[in-house]
Amino acid sequence: MTTLNETHDPARKSWVETANAATTDFPIQNLPFGVFTAPGRDARGGVAIGDMIFDIKAAHQAGLFSSAAAEAATAASLPALNQFMAMAPAQISNLRRELSDLLRADGPQRARVEKIAGDLLVPIKDATMKLPVHIGGFTDFFTSLDHVTRATRVLRPDAPIPPSFKHLPMAYNGRASSVVVSGAPVIRPQGQQGRKDGGSAFAASRMLDYELEVGIYVGAGNELGHPISLSAARDQIFGLCLLNDWSARDIQRFESFPLGPFLGKCFCTSVSPWIVTTEALAPFRVPARPRSADDPPLHDHLSDALDQAEGGFDVSLTAALETSTMRTRGQAPARITRTNLNALYWSCAQMVTHHASNGCNLGPGDLLGTGTLSGPSDESRACMLELTTGGKQALTLPNGEIRNWLEDGDALVLNARCSRDGYASIGFGECRAEVLPALA
């Protein structure tokens, strides 16, 4: 378990002035990892600091890292971060500590680093962000009790919540090849949908939806046949990102029983480009969601006192909808969801342990989705399915537009932020995608 250290000190400031703004997502206490390209620079790893990217490859070539961090710096300089994420947590932490020292205002190498700042810093606005890893596998979970309760009520009003929900973290295997980075559009999918006469029709989805989720990136992983204990799972989580699990509800509804979602989900999943490490998130750990007295007891492999005590994360999450009309008029996106990662019924570590409990092998850079992060309040409904009661009650936006489902030209913008008294607030950067019409 990552503990607090000097990199979390709220008094620590950076010589990159924009990193010291109270509103920045990327103060020196964060330093999320990502992969970018920029003019004159091939794809490589970097960390976000204020409105800049610190180029790890350029810093390594300039000899700024000690021998203790050199191997990690080499791995973090690559066009995908899988090799870096496979390293021991201590190696990852050591590189992050040296990056913090290089960027802090009173750092021992400040004069040397600032002298070559033009080689080391790239404005985020001038960079093109890439998927930070090669995603070998993507699994999406179903772990919000509030979401499963509301979704079941809409989709199958007479059915109870799935009987296994409170026994294990439910999930399905998604499609890694259709995971895209923020900014990439989502093309409205086509597929078979049920008709009232009992037949089916092949057409563009009319019930396109978003799902506000958090993505969990696996670190070193495990060998095939070797489970991951809950106590070990915490160190298997490299970091978190924002995730939008796009859903075509009409396609999904027709195909899902009895084997679950397939084409209604696998057409696109959007993720934010920056991975916020579990070390950066250490100040924002909270107890896992408490279980009710009448909930079934946890099996031993999913029960751990430390995970119950601090297995959750206090991450405030929002989803905003920007219509094409809003863009034309210069209006800000309208927030339609505000929720929190601590709404999860199952912890992130429990998801990892359950996934590997049968010996399934997870690899560095594998991606797990938490599932829709709805909470108990109306404002915490984290998808259109819940917001419009399955399209029956239209959502009215501040400019008077209404939506039952997402329309072509709509863009979803996800954001997240962690705040706690006595610590610097950190953010995730946005996850954004615009809906384009179905292909003819």
Side-chain angles (χ1 to χ4, degrees):
M1 175 74 72
T2 302
T3 56
L4 298 176
N5 56 47
E6 67 273 18
T7 67
H8 302 105
D9 182 357
R12 181 168 288 206
K13 302 297 181 182
S14 175
W15 52 266
V16 180
E17 286 299 329
T18 55
N20 302 321
T23 56
T24 183
D25 278 349
F26 307 128
I28 195 170
Q29 291 81 5
N30 193 349
L31 302 181
F33 289 88
V35 170
F36 73 100
T37 61
R41 303 178 200 238
D42 54 7
R44 59 185 64 191
V47 292
I49 179 75
D51 61 357
M52 296 285 183
I53 300 172
F54 187 79
D55 185 333
I56 298 174
K57 183 175 181 178
H60 195 19
Q61 290 174 337
L64 296 179
F65 297 108
S66 72
S67 58
E71 183 181 359
T74 298
S77 300
L78 297 175
L81 298 177
N82 301 67
Q83 185 176 319
F84 174 56
M85 294 163 71
M87 291 182 159
Q91 291 178 284
I92 295 168
S93 180
N94 191 49
L95 176 61
R96 184 175 174 278
R97 182 178 287 106
E98 291 203 13
L99 286 164
S100 182
D101 284 341
L102 290 173
L103 287 162
R104 64 185 170 101
D106 57 350
Q109 297 194 71
R110 174 173 176 172
R112 179 186 176 192
V113 175
E114 274 196 299
K115 188 175 181 180
I116 57 171
D119 298 325
L120 303 177
L121 295 177
V122 176
I124 290 177
K125 64 180 179 60
D126 294 339
T128 300
M129 300 306 299
K130 303 291 186 180
L131 278 176
V133 300
H134 170 71
I135 301 172
F138 167 46
T139 301
D140 200 32
F141 281 83
F142 191 42
T143 56
S144 161
L145 179 59
D146 299 291
H147 173 62
V148 71
T149 300
R150 290 196 194 98
T152 300
R153 191 181 302 138
V154 170
L155 297 174
R156 305 182 72 186
D158 299 327
I161 67 170
S164 60
F165 180 86
K166 292 187 176 183
H167 290 266
L168 53 82
M170 299 178 68
Y172 71 93
N173 283 314
R175 184 71 183 173
S177 64
S178 54
V179 178
V180 299
V181 75
S182 174
V186 54
I187 298 172
R188 183 176 296 275
Q190 303 179 77
Q192 289 179 254
Q193 304 149 36
R195 295 197 315 239
K196 291 182 180 180
D197 63 4
S200 66
F202 184 87
S205 172
R206 294 167 297 171
M207 299 168 64
L208 186 62
D209 202 354
Y210 75 99
E211 291 190 354
L212 171 54
E213 304 189 18
V214 162
I216 303 164
Y217 280 106
V218 176
N222 60 307
E223 295 181 20
L224 183 65
H226 294 255
I228 299 172
S229 70
L230 191 52
S231 60
R234 290 183 283 269
D235 286 335
Q236 289 285 357
I237 300 173
F238 176 83
L240 307 180
C241 70
L242 290 167
L243 186 149
N244 188 342
D245 179 35
W246 297 95
S247 301
R249 299 298 187 186
D250 37 12
I251 298 172
Q252 179 186 355
R253 179 180 294 175
F254 186 66
E255 72 182 1
S256 285
F257 302 101
L259 294 181
F262 179 41
L263 297 180
K265 292 279 193 177
C266 67
F267 58 95
C268 189
T269 303
S270 301
V271 294
S272 52
W274 298 106
I275 307 177
V276 179
T277 63
T278 51
E279 183 169 16
L281 290 165
F284 310 104
R285 283 193 174 273
V286 293
R289 178 167 171 161
R291 296 171 67 86
S292 301
D294 58 350
D295 284 351
L298 290 168
H299 286 280
D300 289 346
H301 72 292
L302 292 175
S303 179
D304 178 88
L306 186 58
D307 190 61
Q308 287 299 302
E310 50 182 82
F313 295 97
D314 184 5
V315 182
S316 178
L317 302 141
T318 62
L321 175 58
E322 179 190 76
T323 68
S324 56
T325 298
M326 290 175 181
R327 278 195 298 279
T328 300
R329 295 176 178 175
Q331 297 171 332
R335 191 184 75 229
I336 56 176
T337 301
R338 182 189 292 277
T339 187
N340 197 289
L341 182 56
N342 62 21
L344 290 176
Y345 184 82
W346 296 97
S347 73
C348 295
Q350 284 174 320
M351 293 180 220
V352 172
T353 290
H354 176 65
H355 202 319
S357 61
N358 68 343
C360 173
N361 55 321
L362 302 176
D366 279 2
L367 179 64
L368 313 180
T370 58
T372 308
L373 282 167
S374 299
S377 67
D378 283 349
E379 75 165 356
S380 66
R381 293 173 293 177
C383 60
M384 296 294 287
L385 179 72
E386 295 180 53
L387 286 167
T388 68
T389 316
K392 297 176 183 177
Q393 299 174 332
L395 174 69
T396 301
L397 301 174
N399 68 351
E401 292 184 89
I402 62 172
R403 289 291 186 272
N404 296 87
W405 303 99
L406 299 177
E407 298 184 4
D408 294 346
D410 288 348
L412 254 295
V413 186
L414 309 183
N415 276 285
R417 196 160 181 86
C418 305
S419 298
R420 181 183 174 188
D421 289 343
Y423 294 93
S425 296
I426 66 173
F428 281 56
E430 72 174 23
C431 178
R432 176 192 177 93
E434 181 181 339
V435 178
L436 300 185
L439 299 178

